[in-house]
Amino acid sequence: MKAIEGRLVTPQGVRPGRVLIEHGRIAAVDDLTTPVPPGVPVVAARDAYVLPGLIDPHVHFRTPGLTHKEDWGHGSRAAVAGGVTTVMDMPNTRPASFTAKALIDKAALIEGRSLVDFAFHIGVDPEHPEALADLDTGTARSAKIFMAGHHTAPAVLSDPAALDTAFAAAARSGVRVVLHAEDGGLFDLLDAWWGEPGGYRDYEARRPRTGGIAAVAKVIELVRRHGTAAHVLHLSSAEEADLVCAAQAAGLPVTFELTGHHLSFTDADTCRVGARTRLAPAIRGVRDQDRLWRAVFGEQAATLGSDHAPHTVAEKTRSVADSPPGLPGVQELATAVWTGMRRRAPEEDADAAIGRLVRLMASGPADLFGLPGKGRITPGADADLVLFAPDDTWMFSAAQVRSKCGWSAYEGWTMTGRVRRTFRRGEQVFDAATGAYGAPDGAWLR
Ligand code: DOR
Ligand code: ZN
């Protein structure tokens, strides 16, 4: 048994207390009036919050086939350094994870290499959208549809009849679809009309909001027709946010994710720094960024995700047309969002703010994707816990990047809030003071 004491962020609010841990689970949560049982070691968080382990439901850890960009050793070290103890991995690997067998093979490759627990999104094979009807939701928590493609997402499901089949099949098996909702056909038209982009100033205009709006409208129509539960990933524009909120208000089972990068950067940054913030969907303007932040403060978003999608420096320094979209972010997500939240509303009560971060990054994704034992500090839950110092101010530099790619779009940022220690199932997996990691024995949640 061991105990962790501090300002616990629980579903009932923030309060000073103690978590007692036994066999990797939370045995009890109590206040500090009772004595610690004799012989039980105590970790004191002091001025730090004790958060439930955070969940990043959107990572690309690149196994199998793309491990020159990222692997589970590096990716999961980045995760625990960012307070993340559970990740959900995306299927656009080589080969793509289109079948239960592919996921079982992937889990075998990860075994003994991951500091974090993990679950999978299965890919929807454009050739076999009907296969979703028989999906085993134990093997895959949800099914990912790329409505538009790009360098690392070659398998696109954009044919209207195939989309209709996929949504109908998913509704039948009760699986949630998660979507990269952009209309690639519109982008092809624009590329053909305008020709090669001359520089990053031209990038957002070639991957504009119209692509996202058209696709989100299509998703809403399919949800209306079939009743399929749909989660739109990495929403980038004000209009898409309004559309999904309106559909939700009308009672449709559609939700959305926001990423750290769409909250942290604008198209002016892409113009300045280039490939580092070249993303799909593209990062848009200040008005969009403000609208997305409103969806954070108002908790209209269901989840936050990093879309951790590293590429090598060599890949990112190709021409504008050839440089792949994506950035690392699992390590940066919680601190970047916390930093943004404190800067945008410095007068807000910190306990209220941290409660929101935990709902968006722990209990929210646990509930949406059905991850029992995750996302809450409550008796019986897995003892995934993070000591998070909310007022620590520090500068993020390339030397601190844990991702295999070795760079970050957040280099040079002055961060507010720092992860001091991370525990997964009661075992310490990260200590910022020593730089030590724990055992890479994270489990597949199935
Ligand atoms: O920017 C992106 N990169 N968006 C995606 O949808 C996929 C990702 C990747 O895999 O590189
Ligand atoms: Zn992604």
Side-chain angles (χ1 to χ4, degrees):
M1 189 178 258
K2 75 170 79 147
I4 296 181
E5 294 179 355
R7 289 194 280 161
L8 311 183
V9 183
T10 75
Q12 294 77 38
V14 178
R15 58 190 165 96
R18 178 188 303 130
V19 181
L20 285 163
I21 300 167
E22 201 168 25
H23 307 306
R25 295 247 169 92
I26 297 177
V29 182
D30 52 42
D31 56 26
L32 299 171
T33 53
T34 51
V36 184
V40 171
V42 178
V43 175
R46 292 189 301 277
D47 56 330
Y49 285 119
V50 182
L51 316 180
L54 304 176
I55 298 167
D56 188 341
H58 189 162
V59 304
H60 301 259
F61 278 1
R62 307 299 197 198
T63 292
L66 296 168
T67 50
H68 65 286
K69 297 174 190 279
E70 185 62 296
D71 57 40
W72 278 78
H74 287 87
S76 73
R77 286 197 284 279
V80 294
V84 170
T85 53
T86 300
V87 300
M88 297 179 69
D89 191 49
M90 286 294 172
N92 56 323
T93 48
R94 306 257 166 85
S97 311
F98 285 150
T99 61
K101 160 99 172 50
L103 295 179
I104 291 164
D105 292 348
K106 173 148 86 170
L109 292 171
I110 298 167
E111 166 119 41
R113 293 172 204 272
S114 178
L115 288 161
V116 295
D117 287 346
F118 51 92
F120 299 129
H121 304 279
I122 199 167
V124 179
D125 183 348
E127 306 293 314
H128 296 289
E130 76 288 348
L132 272 184
D134 306 315
L135 187 72
D136 164 19
T137 49
T139 315
R141 293 297 162 176
S142 81
K144 168 82 179 272
I145 295 176
F146 282 94
M147 294 171 76
H150 55 74
H151 308 67
T152 22
V156 176
L157 190 78
S158 55
D159 173 65
L163 273 169
D164 201 71
T165 303
F167 272 70
R172 217 169 308 136
S173 58
V175 68
R176 185 178 308 278
V177 293
V178 300
L179 296 122
H180 185 129
E182 288 193 288
D183 187 325
L186 295 183
F187 298 158
D188 292 343
L189 279 178
L190 289 167
D191 283 347
W193 183 46
W194 269 330
E196 294 263 303
Y200 279 100
R201 205 188 36 160
D202 304 336
Y203 177 64
E204 198 274 337
R206 279 177 170 71
R207 295 290 176 271
R209 69 187 63 236
T210 33
I213 296 165
V216 164
K218 210 175 279 178
V219 169
I220 291 171
E221 196 40 49
L222 287 162
V223 169
R224 200 198 298 275
R225 191 173 320 147
H226 298 289
T228 322
H231 187 53
V232 181
L233 301 169
H234 43 46
L235 219 76
S236 67
S237 73
E239 289 83 353
E240 292 161 273
D242 288 343
L243 280 175
V244 180
C245 286
Q248 244 172 44
L252 296 176
V254 53
T255 50
F256 67 91
E257 169 196 78
L258 296 175
T259 69
H261 47 268
H262 287 103
L263 293 166
S264 300
F265 303 104
T266 66
D267 53 354
D269 293 304
T270 310
C271 193
R272 190 171 50 83
V273 306
R276 281 174 190 239
T277 58
R278 183 214 172 127
L279 272 304
I283 288 175
R284 313 212 181 278
V286 173
R287 183 177 70 86
D288 300 292
Q289 191 187 32
D290 288 345
R291 175 65 183 90
L292 302 185
W293 271 108
R294 269 209 286 131
V296 171
F297 281 104
E299 294 183 50
Q300 293 170 330
T303 62
L304 299 179
S306 69
D307 196 1
H308 180 85
H311 300 283
T312 64
V313 169
E315 290 164 338
K316 278 292 205 181
T317 40
R318 291 181 194 150
S319 71
V320 181
D322 287 339
S323 165
L327 48 61
V330 67
Q331 181 179 353
E332 298 91 332
L333 177 62
T335 36
V337 173
W338 180 250
T339 299
M341 232 152 64
R342 300 312 284 156
R343 292 221 179 116
R344 281 176 179 255
E347 71 295 338
E348 188 184 25
D349 174 51
D351 288 358
I354 200 75
R356 176 190 307 119
L357 188 77
V358 162
R359 283 188 295 278
L360 288 169
M361 284 198 68
S363 53
D367 292 347
L368 193 76
F369 293 109
L371 302 170
K374 300 299 187 190
R376 285 182 179 82
I377 296 182
T378 188
D382 290 347
D384 299 342
L385 298 162
V386 178
L387 308 195
F388 182 76
D391 301 319
D392 273 18
T393 301
W394 56 293
M395 193 174 285
F396 190 72
S397 69
Q400 286 147 327
V401 173
R402 303 295 167 217
S403 168
K404 189 172 184 178
C405 72
W407 60 271
S408 170
Y410 298 85
E411 284 168 35
W413 267 47
T414 309
M415 296 284 196
T416 300
R418 194 205 277 265
V419 172
R420 289 201 182 142
R421 294 165 81 165
T422 305
F423 298 82
R424 190 207 2 96
R425 296 181 194 257
E427 298 301 322
Q428 183 171 291
V429 283
F430 174 68
D431 182 356
T434 62
Y437 297 97
D441 55 3
W444 183 9
L445 307 172
R446 56 180 309 203

